[in-house]
């Protein structure tokens, strides 16, 4: 089957001109061939034909050129913001790098834009994109050029002797503007941005594609560093990314080889120091290789998606270990990636059903960061988890910016005061007042309170008097394997029974004949 003929706009213009030429030539041929028409008529017809031909050429050419320019502009322009697009960015960098000037590139990515789309809808999201584009365009002025690369990703390019320094100043001014919420109708919407920079100089030219990659890497480092900041690309970033890839592969191999294991740190009652709960902590036995702590390998697992199978193994193993520990509560940490995974509540339900573990004995610990990254999805997931009878604990309280509204929205069953708040409370009046107010707030919202990181008797007495229910820290117990928890709980059980027997025995000399 023959394919239909497709012509570009330029092709259509050429085709039309060709048709006009053929028609004019045919007319001239007919006039010249017809011998019974007198010469004056021939001349008039020829002049008319030439004029028609010229006007046709002029009209078709003007229309075709306008259409071609329109298509070229469309190919180089973002339709929503009317900013130049990625294709235009590559061409501009190529043009600037032909000279001797320094060329600086800023990659700009909005922070939290997905949550705004989810909460307000894509129509509001598009309005926010347009508003941000106007702000970027205004900041760049005539010295730099702004671009929209797609989604919530923007860029800016500047060429000149000190282009990088000036462009960085512009971007910092942009971040200052984003310090206040943007106004969209009756809404005040807070949005941030993470920015990465790179440059190409006369003595070290970098292709446009490599410049975009480097700026993107630097922008990612800005996000990891806390967002709302600027970062210049550094060669060490590539080495770090390579190391991250290596760790990712090692995690995969470690999971297959069974190198991961769990230890448990007990939590004691603030009233009588009895063990009432244990927190499961993941460890990686790497054999003879350099040790890696959870603070290093867990973020890599989260970014790669490996946290889902790894977290599922942690949950199942911890539940299986804790089944033999009587009424002791089990705490398991879950990450932001797990909360965003729609399959996580399903896997949790399967584990509880297959193991027969009582849901009321399980606590899942989440951090504030997990929730603010995607609050709508997090709230929906936590509601499903709560419907199983599982309790939700807010971990590391005191290190973020959780408000009363935040606490009421997520309805935690317990707060864990961060170790930094406990440490500072023992030496600083302001921190002590903050800790007391946090416990009072938790009580008002019907939440339990655990103080973690307690290492001295002074700290223990302080949090006990402040009203904490449970205490966790090296003062009482360090993290230990499940077998040691077995022995510890066995000793505690024997001591408790012994104490009951003593209290139940009749006092000496109390028996009468």
């Amino acid at each position: 089957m023959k394919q239909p003929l497709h012509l570009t706009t330029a092709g259509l213009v050429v085709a039309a001109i060709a048709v006009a030429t053929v028609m004019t030539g045919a007319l001239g041929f007919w006039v010249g061939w017809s011998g019974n028409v007198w010469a004056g008529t021939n001349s008039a017809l020829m002049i008319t034909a030439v004029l028609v031909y010229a006007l046709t050429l002029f009209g078709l050419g003007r229309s075709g050129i306008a259409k071609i320019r329109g298509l070229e502009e469309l190919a180089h322009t973002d339709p929503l913001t009317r900013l130049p697009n990625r294709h235009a960015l590559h061409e501009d960098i190529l043009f600037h790098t032909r000279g001797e000037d320094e060329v600086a590139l800023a990659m700009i990515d909005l922070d939290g834009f997905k949550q705004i789309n989810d909460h307000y809808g894509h129509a509001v999201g598009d309005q926010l994109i347009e508003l941000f584009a106007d702000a970027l365009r205004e900041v760049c002025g005539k010295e730099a050029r702004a671009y929209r690369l797609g989604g919530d990703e923007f860029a800016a390019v500047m060429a000149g002797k000190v282009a990088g320094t000036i462009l960085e100043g512009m971007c910092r001014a942009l971040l200052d503007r984003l310090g206040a919420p943007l106004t969209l109708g009756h809404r005040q919407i807070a949005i941030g941005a993470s920015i990465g920079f790179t440059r190409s100089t006369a003595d070290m030219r970098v292709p446009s594609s490599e410049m975009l990659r480097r700026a993107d890497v630097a922008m990612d480092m800005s996000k990891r560093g806390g967002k709302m900041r600027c970062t210049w690309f550094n060669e060490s970033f590539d080495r770090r990314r390579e190391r991250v890839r290596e760790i990712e592969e090692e995690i995969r191999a470690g999971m297959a080889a069974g190198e991961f294991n769990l230890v448990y740190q007990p939590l004691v009652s603030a009233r009588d120091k009895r063990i009432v709960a244990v927190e499961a902590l993941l460890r990686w036995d790497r054999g003879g290789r350099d040790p890696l702590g959870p603070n290093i390998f867990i973020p890599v697992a989260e970014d790669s998606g490996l946290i889902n199978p790894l977290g599922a193994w942690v949950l199942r193993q911890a539940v299986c270990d804790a089944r033999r520990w009587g009424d002791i509560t089990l705490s398991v940490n879950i990450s932001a990636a797990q909360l965003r995974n729609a399959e996580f509540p399903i896997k949790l339900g399967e584990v509880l059903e297959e193991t027969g573990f009582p849901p009321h004995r399980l606590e899942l610990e989440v951090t504030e960061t997990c929730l603010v990254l995607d609050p709508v999805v997090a709230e929906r997931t936590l509601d499903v988890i709560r419907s199983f009878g599982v309790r939700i604990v807010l971990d590391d309280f005191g290190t973020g910016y959780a408000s009363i509204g935040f606490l009421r929205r997520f309805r935690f069953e317990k707060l864990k005061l961060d170790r930094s708040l406990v440490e500072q409370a023992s030496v600083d009046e302001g921190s002590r007042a903050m800790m007391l107010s946090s416990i009072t707030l938790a009580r008002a919202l019907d939440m339990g309170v655990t103080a973690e990181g307690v290492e001295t008797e002074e700290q223990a007495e302080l949090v006990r008097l402040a009203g904490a229910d449970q205490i966790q820290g090296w003062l009482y117990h360090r993290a230990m394997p499940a077998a040691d928890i077995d022995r510890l709980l066995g000793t505690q059980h024997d001591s408790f029974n012994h104490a009951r027997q003593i209290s139940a025995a009749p006092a000496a000399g109390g028996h009468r004949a």
Side-chain angles (χ1 to χ4, degrees):
M1 182 178 178
K2 292 184 177 181
Q3 296 293 325
L5 180 64
H6 295 285
L7 292 177
T8 63
T9 302
L12 290 173
V13 172
V14 171
I17 292 174
V19 171
T21 302
V22 170
M23 291 179 64
T24 304
L27 177 62
F29 175 77
W30 179 79
V31 170
W33 178 78
S34 178
N36 55 2
V37 180
W38 55 281
T41 303
N42 286 350
S43 299
L45 285 173
M46 286 299 295
I47 292 172
T48 302
V50 170
L51 289 174
V52 169
Y53 177 60
L55 289 173
T56 302
L57 288 180
F58 177 76
L60 290 174
R62 184 176 181 181
S63 174
I65 291 172
K67 288 182 178 179
I68 291 172
R69 287 177 176 172
L71 286 175
E72 287 180 348
E73 182 180 357
L74 187 63
H76 288 74
T77 306
D78 172 61
L80 177 62
T81 62
R82 306 308 300 170
L83 288 175
N85 60 15
R86 186 182 296 269
H87 185 65
L89 173 65
H90 283 289
E91 291 191 352
D92 287 349
I93 292 176
L94 179 62
F95 172 78
H96 288 306
T97 53
R98 288 171 180 165
E100 297 297 317
D101 285 336
E102 173 184 310
V103 181
L105 168 65
M107 184 81 75
I108 307 159
D109 191 83
L110 299 184
D111 297 329
F113 181 72
K114 180 180 182 302
Q115 288 72 38
I116 291 173
N117 260 347
D118 292 342
H119 187 70
Y120 296 107
H122 288 273
V124 172
D126 286 348
Q127 293 177 37
L128 186 63
I129 288 292
E130 292 181 86
L131 196 60
F132 179 81
D134 290 340
L136 178 60
R137 189 185 285 112
E138 183 178 337
V139 166
C140 288
K142 296 181 179 180
E143 294 182 291
R145 195 179 191 195
Y147 306 80
R148 185 190 180 206
L149 306 185
D152 61 342
E153 194 171 58
F154 294 80
V157 167
M158 183 176 178
K161 291 183 179 180
V162 287
T165 302
I166 298 175
L167 186 61
E168 181 179 355
M170 292 176 176
C171 289
R172 291 192 182 279
L174 178 66
L175 293 183
D176 289 341
R177 292 183 60 166
L178 295 180
L182 299 180
T183 301
L184 279 179
H186 63 282
R187 296 186 177 94
Q188 294 285 320
I189 300 180
I191 190 73
S194 298
I195 304 176
F197 297 101
T198 191
R199 57 165 54 94
S200 175
T201 59
D203 57 347
M204 189 176 293
R205 285 302 183 201
V206 180
S208 59
S209 58
E210 176 63 11
M211 286 188 72
L212 259 70
R213 187 196 71 81
R214 292 183 178 188
D216 188 63
V217 170
M219 181 270 294
D220 184 61
M221 294 301 293
S222 288
K223 283 192 178 294
R224 292 176 181 275
K227 304 180 181 179
M228 280 294 281
R229 61 182 61 198
C230 300
T231 305
W232 278 94
F233 175 79
N234 187 294
E235 297 289 346
S236 65
F237 295 167
D238 280 341
R239 292 192 293 273
R240 180 187 180 279
R241 286 164 69 92
E242 182 60 33
R243 179 57 182 144
V244 166
R245 283 193 290 269
E246 290 175 0
I247 293 175
E248 181 181 332
E249 292 305 315
E250 290 174 4
I251 291 174
R252 296 180 191 276
M255 291 172 61
E259 294 177 352
F260 290 94
N261 60 81
L262 294 179
V263 294
Y264 300 88
Q265 185 175 25
L267 289 72
V268 302
S269 168
R271 180 175 52 86
D272 58 13
K273 303 180 184 179
R274 286 175 49 81
I275 297 173
V276 293
V278 293
E279 178 183 359
L281 302 170
L282 182 61
R283 297 291 184 263
W284 189 1
D285 181 6
R286 292 168 52 82
R289 293 171 292 172
D290 293 338
L292 287 180
N295 60 315
I296 296 177
F297 69 77
I298 286 182
V300 175
E302 289 178 335
D303 289 343
S304 64
L306 291 173
I307 193 64
N308 292 313
L310 187 58
W313 176 84
V314 168
L315 185 63
R316 182 177 294 276
Q317 184 61 48
V319 163
C320 289
D321 286 340
R323 279 189 304 179
R324 59 184 186 264
W325 294 335
D327 58 353
I328 298 297
T329 299
L330 170 67
S331 290
V332 178
N333 295 279
I334 57 174
S335 71
Q338 288 174 283
L339 277 183
R340 291 194 298 268
N341 182 8
E343 296 293 319
F344 177 72
I346 299 173
K347 297 294 184 183
L348 173 62
E350 291 175 352
V351 168
L352 292 173
E353 183 177 0
E354 292 170 8
T355 61
F357 189 81
H360 69 273
R361 284 182 52 204
L362 179 61
E363 293 179 343
L364 297 184
E365 297 188 15
V366 299
T367 63
E368 183 182 343
T369 304
C370 291
L371 304 177
V372 299
L373 286 175
D374 203 337
V376 175
V377 173
E379 187 174 17
R380 188 183 307 125
T381 302
L382 293 182
D383 284 342
V384 175
I385 293 172
R386 230 183 237 106
S387 68
F388 298 155
V390 175
R391 293 159 54 86
I392 308 298
V393 178
L394 179 61
D395 196 12
D396 298 337
F397 184 74
T399 59
Y401 305 95
S403 64
I404 295 176
F406 179 87
L407 297 178
R408 293 180 65 182
R409 175 180 181 179
F410 290 101
R411 307 186 313 280
F412 305 102
E413 279 74 33
K414 186 168 75 175
L415 297 183
K416 290 188 75 173
L417 302 179
D418 186 71
R419 66 174 61 246
S420 62
L421 187 59
V422 173
E423 291 173 357
Q424 294 167 10
S426 61
V427 296
D428 178 68
E429 288 291 339
S431 298
R432 185 177 300 119
M434 185 183 298
M435 186 185 72
L436 290 171
S437 63
S438 298
I439 294 176
T440 301
L441 175 61
R443 289 282 176 253
L445 296 175
D446 196 27
M447 300 177 186
V449 178
T450 294
E452 59 180 349
V454 175
E455 298 181 357
T456 67
E457 287 288 356
E458 180 185 3
Q459 293 174 352
E461 185 64 17
L462 180 62
V463 298
R464 188 178 295 114
L465 292 176
D469 303 293
Q470 298 172 359
I471 301 175
Q472 181 180 12
W474 289 358
L475 175 64
Y476 297 110
H477 302 286
R478 294 177 179 252
M480 60 190 75
D484 291 347
I485 295 291
D486 291 338
R487 289 190 289 271
L488 196 60
L489 291 177
T491 301
Q492 177 173 281
H493 180 71
D494 293 341
S495 299
F496 178 70
N497 287 338
H498 181 65
R500 287 182 59 185
Q501 292 172 2
I502 292 177
S503 61
H511 177 72
R512 294 184 182 177

